[in-house]
């Protein structure tokens, strides 16, 4: 199960990383899991590596390093691309919180103009909710 989580995050970031562009609003550690999930994916679309890193957590430091390296590879080349989409729209379908774990279902448009739903798992830590 632990190996599936980083792979899921990588696939989701690749799937939804369509373009660079819109400004991303900062979130605080008191924000809801849904707000953090939306902020995380808006940060991906804005090519904001620091906000993506700040809103994701891993149990294994090696997995964190792999993810950070992956972000650098995917976002640095994308940063020079022309913005094709002005704003990314992620609609929160549902939010379920059970203790220190939350599941947020999001709906968004893909690069090929199809609706896609995904479930994002978040964990509550000392720093607040993290993907």
């Amino acid at each position: 199960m632990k190996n599936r989580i980083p792979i899921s995050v990588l696939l989701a970031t690749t799937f939804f990383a369509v373009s660079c562009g819109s400004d991303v609003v900062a979130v605080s550690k008191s924000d809801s899991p849904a707000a953090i999930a939306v902020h995380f994916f808006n940060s991906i679309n804005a090519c904001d590596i620091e906000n993506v890193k700040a809103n994701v957590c891993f149990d294994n430091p090696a997995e964190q390093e792999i993810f950070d390296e992956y972000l650098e590879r995917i976002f640095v080349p994308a940063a020079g691309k022309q913005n094709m989409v002005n704003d990314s729209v992620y609609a929160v379908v549902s939010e379920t919180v059970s203790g220190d774990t939350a599941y947020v279902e999001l709906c968004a448009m893909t690069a090929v103009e199809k609706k896609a739903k995904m479930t994002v798992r978040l964990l509550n830590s000392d720093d607040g909710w993290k993907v």
Side-chain angles (χ1 to χ4, degrees), residues 5-125:
I5 293 170
I7 292 169
S8 298
V9 171
L10 289 175
L11 289 175
T13 57
T14 302
F15 186 66
F16 284 101
V18 175
S19 67
C20 298
S22 62
D23 294 330
V24 177
V25 178
V27 294
S28 69
K29 70 180 190 176
S30 63
D31 283 335
S32 71
I36 298 295
V38 169
H39 177 69
F40 178 78
F41 286 100
N42 282 335
S43 296
I44 290 169
N45 286 352
C47 296
D48 188 342
I49 296 172
E50 296 309 314
N51 270 325
V52 172
K53 287 180 184 179
N55 288 296
V56 70
C57 67
F58 291 91
D59 292 331
N60 183 330
E63 290 173 350
Q64 178 73 49
E65 287 179 37
I66 291 168
F67 183 76
D68 290 348
E69 196 173 304
Y70 176 79
L71 286 179
E72 294 292 332
R73 288 184 185 182
I74 194 169
F75 284 147
V76 170
K81 290 185 181 176
Q82 184 177 354
N83 182 16
M84 297 172 63
V85 179
N86 292 334
D87 288 316
S88 300
V89 179
Y90 297 95
V92 176
V93 176
S94 67
E95 174 183 76
T96 306
V97 178
S98 178
D100 287 339
T101 303
Y103 294 92
V104 177
E105 186 175 357
L106 299 176
C107 182
M109 295 299 283
T110 68
V112 293
E113 300 291 325
K114 292 191 178 196
K115 272 191 174 181
K117 284 187 181 180
M118 62 182 212
T119 302
V120 182
R121 178 177 169 243
L122 294 96
L123 301 174
N124 198 1
S125 67

